[in-house]
Amino acid sequence: DTPKPKLGPLKTAIEGKAYTVTCSVRHTCPSHLPQFTWSHGSKDEISEVHKHIHSGIWETESTLAFIPEEKDDDTELTCTATFNGGRKSFTTFPLNVK
């Protein structure tokens, strides 16, 4: 089974104020880390962290930080993880901008 990425914290965005959301997935292959893509943002707005959780389980986190605009209201934010072998899994949530 391809693990589904988890998103958090899912909070309301405020127009013009920094907004951060993290997408994470646990995996078992530290030599082939999952690759994350976001439906929003540029490479400058994305950072990644890899950490060992316990006995053969690792977690990779991708954090998107951007300044939401009015046009971002009612859009969907999608984080896609691509695993070794080309398998993909994604999570989507509606972005609300106040």
Side-chain angles (χ1 to χ4, degrees):
D1 280 358
T2 305
K4 192 173 174 81
K6 292 185 175 142
L7 288 172
L10 302 180
K11 57 187 190 290
T12 300
I14 308 294
E15 184 181 353
K17 291 197 172 186
Y19 183 79
T20 303
V21 63
T22 299
C23 181
S24 63
V25 70
R26 289 192 176 188
H27 57 93
T28 57
C29 190
S31 61
H32 294 89
L33 299 173
Q35 300 295 310
F36 287 97
T37 51
W38 290 88
S39 61
H40 190 290
S42 66
K43 291 202 181 301
D44 296 343
E45 298 170 314
I46 298 167
S47 60
E48 286 190 6
V49 176
H50 312 285
K51 55 189 171 187
H52 184 242
I53 303 296
H54 59 79
S55 60
I57 304 293
W58 283 263
E59 184 174 66
T60 301
E61 286 183 348
S62 178
T63 300
L64 171 66
F66 68 101
I67 307 294
E69 300 174 23
E70 185 181 344
K71 68 179 173 69
D72 297 319
D73 191 33
D74 287 329
T75 61
E76 287 193 336
L77 196 54
T78 302
C79 169
T80 303
T82 303
F83 297 89
N84 188 35
R87 291 176 301 138
K88 293 185 179 190
S89 183
F90 66 91
T91 301
T92 298
F93 78 98
L95 185 62
N96 295 311
V97 179
K98 295 279 184 221

